[in-house]
């Protein structure tokens, strides 16, 4: 019995009964150990099963064909220029010459001379056609604006001089001259030139002395001392000459000494630029039959207006027949 009790105690301890506080006497209501409910053993938590990796399945798909490697693209050499063209001659005539000079064999020298002769023949043909075109087109003929013969040049010069004298005489009521001078010989010579213009055409000249100098008695009667006029008009060097207009405006002719024909022409040019005389009046005083036409100004605004896209290229090149049509169309308006 003691053995059984001992064995039961041992078994009870192994069953892990819950601890009970208090003395034995206070635990009278407890039954014998075999009446005590046996605590259920907690089952250990099951870990999730880790499935082994599935073996790879080989398929019977056809293997991909390797992509062909692109063949290297070799740049094609540019095509040579057309034989015996202008570009061909520009690129090769010097080569023939250099070859003949470095190795003057009969073949090398002969080849260069033939190439040179072909180029000269083509240039002669070009010059002949040039003459034909110029002589039959007044717009291109230089003789239409100024004569090329000696007699024609002399006649035009005489007519221009006569027109210049008449126009300068008519201008005496529209313009005057202001002349700044000092005691230098350049100023004295320029004063005599202006005095001659005053005597010939009746144009008044007012002389302004910048350093207190006076003019010879036979040159220019109206002389005043500079009282700030030179500073107002921006005079930095003398002799200096200005054109004065009726509206109290002044325009410079130039600084330095001028011969009389050049001074007269400068007066007319400044007067034409400021509207004191017309373009036609001014052109009559020049050694030209007419003024050169402004071809660029006439053609440029409408050069591409009537040109089809397939008639030109990225450089704006217009075929010769189309260009001539545009020029004639615009210049005949």
């Amino acid at each position: 019995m003691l053995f059984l009790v001992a064995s039961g105690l041992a078994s009870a301890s192994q069953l892990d009964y819950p601890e009970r506080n208090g003395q034995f006497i206070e635990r009278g209501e407890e039954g014998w150990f075999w009446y005590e409910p046996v605590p259920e053993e907690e089952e250990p938590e099951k870990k999730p099963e880790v499935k082994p990796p599935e073996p790879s399945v080989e398929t019977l798909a056809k293997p991909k064909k390797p992509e062909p490697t692109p063949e290297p693209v070799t740049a094609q050499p540019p095509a040579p220029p057309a034989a015996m063209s202008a570009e061909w001659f520009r690129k090769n005539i010097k080569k023939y010459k250099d070859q003949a000079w470095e190795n003057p064999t009969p073949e090398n020298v002969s080849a260069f001379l033939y190439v040179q002769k072909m180029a000269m023949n083509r240039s002669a043909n070009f010059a002949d056609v040039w003459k034909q075109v110029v002589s039959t087109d007044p717009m291109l003929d230089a003789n239409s604006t100024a004569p090329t013969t000696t007699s024609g040049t002399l006649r035009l010069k005489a007519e221009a001089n006569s027109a210049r004298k008449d126009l300068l005489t008519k201008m005496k009521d529209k313009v005057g001259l202001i002349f700044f001078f000092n005691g230098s010989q350049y100023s004295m010579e320029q004063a005599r030139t202006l005095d001659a213009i005053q005597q010939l055409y009746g144009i008044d000249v007012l002389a302004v002395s910048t350093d207190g100098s006076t003019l010879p008695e036979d040159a220019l009667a109206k002389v005043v001392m500079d009282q700030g006029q030179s500073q107002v008009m921006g005079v930095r060097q003398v002799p200096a000459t200005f054109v004065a207009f009726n509206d109290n405006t002044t325009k410079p002719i130039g600084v330095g000494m001028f011969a009389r024909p050049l001074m007269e022409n400068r007066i007319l040019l400044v007067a034409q630029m400021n509207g004191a005389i017309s373009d036609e009046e001014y052109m009559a005083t020049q050694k030209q039959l007419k003024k050169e036409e402004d071809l660029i100004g006439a053609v440029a605004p409408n050069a591409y207006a009537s040109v089809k896209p397939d008639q030109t290229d990225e450089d704006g090149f217009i075929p010769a027949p189309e260009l001539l049509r545009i020029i004639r169309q615009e210049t005949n308006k």
Side-chain angles (χ1 to χ4, degrees):
M1 181 66 72
L2 292 174
F3 175 76
L4 291 174
V5 173
S7 298
L9 292 173
S11 298
S13 65
Q14 292 175 359
L15 291 175
D16 194 18
Y17 283 99
E19 294 181 1
R20 294 173 173 84
N21 296 325
Q23 301 299 324
F24 176 75
I25 193 67
E26 296 173 358
R27 296 163 55 192
E29 294 180 359
E30 294 180 9
W32 295 96
F33 67 89
W34 56 82
Y35 290 110
E36 291 290 327
V38 179
E40 296 180 359
E41 294 183 3
E42 295 182 2
E43 294 183 2
E45 294 182 0
K46 292 183 179 181
K47 296 182 179 180
E49 295 182 0
V50 179
K51 294 182 179 181
E54 296 182 0
S56 58
V57 180
E58 295 183 1
T59 61
L60 299 178
K62 294 181 179 180
K64 292 182 179 180
K65 293 182 180 180
E67 294 183 1
T69 56
E71 297 181 0
V73 180
T74 56
Q76 296 294 330
M84 308 305 153
S85 64
E87 184 180 1
W88 186 91
F89 277 100
R90 281 196 302 270
K91 290 184 175 181
N92 292 295
I93 192 168
K94 188 176 184 301
K95 294 180 181 179
Y96 285 106
K97 181 181 179 181
D98 293 345
Q99 184 182 53
W101 185 87
E102 293 175 355
N103 186 20
T105 64
E107 291 79 8
N108 289 343
V109 174
S110 181
F112 165 67
L113 292 176
Y114 271 109
V115 172
Q116 184 185 51
K117 183 175 178 61
M118 286 188 287
M120 294 176 66
N121 288 345
R122 181 62 59 85
S123 298
N125 293 339
F126 170 75
D128 291 340
V129 178
W130 176 307
K131 293 176 184 177
Q132 296 172 12
V133 172
V134 167
S135 61
T136 56
D137 191 337
M139 193 172 294
L140 298 175
D141 190 1
N143 198 51
S144 64
T145 57
T148 55
T149 63
T150 302
S151 59
T153 302
L154 292 175
R155 170 57 57 186
L156 183 60
K157 182 178 180 181
E159 292 177 356
N161 289 337
S162 176
R164 182 173 61 190
K165 291 178 180 178
D166 293 341
L167 187 56
L168 286 168
T169 302
K170 288 169 56 177
M171 287 173 55
K172 65 182 180 179
D173 296 328
K174 297 181 179 181
V175 301
L177 300 178
I178 302 176
F179 173 58
F180 291 89
F181 71 96
N182 60 12
S184 67
Q185 291 300 316
Y186 297 103
S187 292
M188 298 299 114
E189 288 295 328
Q190 189 65 70
R192 292 187 176 90
T193 299
L194 292 176
D195 183 71
I197 291 175
Q198 182 175 256
Q199 297 298 328
L200 286 171
Y201 310 118
I203 298 176
D204 288 335
V205 181
L206 173 64
V208 182
S209 175
T210 59
D211 62 354
S213 301
T214 58
L215 293 174
E217 293 180 0
D218 57 345
L220 300 176
K222 296 180 181 179
V223 180
V224 298
M225 296 297 136
D226 187 6
Q227 297 180 351
Q229 299 96 318
S230 61
Q231 185 175 0
V232 172
M233 298 178 67
V235 177
R236 297 184 178 181
Q237 181 181 345
V238 292
T241 310
F242 292 77
V243 177
F245 297 95
N246 288 341
D247 57 359
N248 294 325
T249 60
T250 58
K251 297 293 180 181
I253 290 178
V255 175
M257 190 172 65
F258 296 94
R260 184 165 64 85
L262 181 56
M263 177 63 73
E264 293 173 355
N265 195 56
R266 289 284 185 97
I267 296 171
L268 293 173
L269 177 61
V270 173
Q272 182 261 344
M273 292 173 62
N274 288 271
I277 58 176
S278 66
D279 295 344
E280 291 75 15
E281 288 176 320
Y282 175 74
M283 284 304 303
T285 66
Q286 305 303 301
K287 300 178 180 64
Q288 285 182 265
L289 295 173
K290 68 173 186 176
K291 188 178 181 180
E292 288 280 2
E293 295 190 34
D294 181 14
L295 288 175
I296 294 177
V299 174
N302 299 312
Y304 298 127
S306 59
V307 179
K308 298 178 181 178
D310 59 350
Q311 290 180 310
T312 184
D313 59 11
E314 65 276 5
D315 295 328
F317 180 83
I318 302 174
E322 185 64 18
L323 178 61
L324 292 176
R325 184 192 66 78
I326 296 172
I327 291 174
R328 294 189 180 105
Q329 170 185 300
E330 298 301 323
T331 54
N332 289 332
K333 288 182 178 180

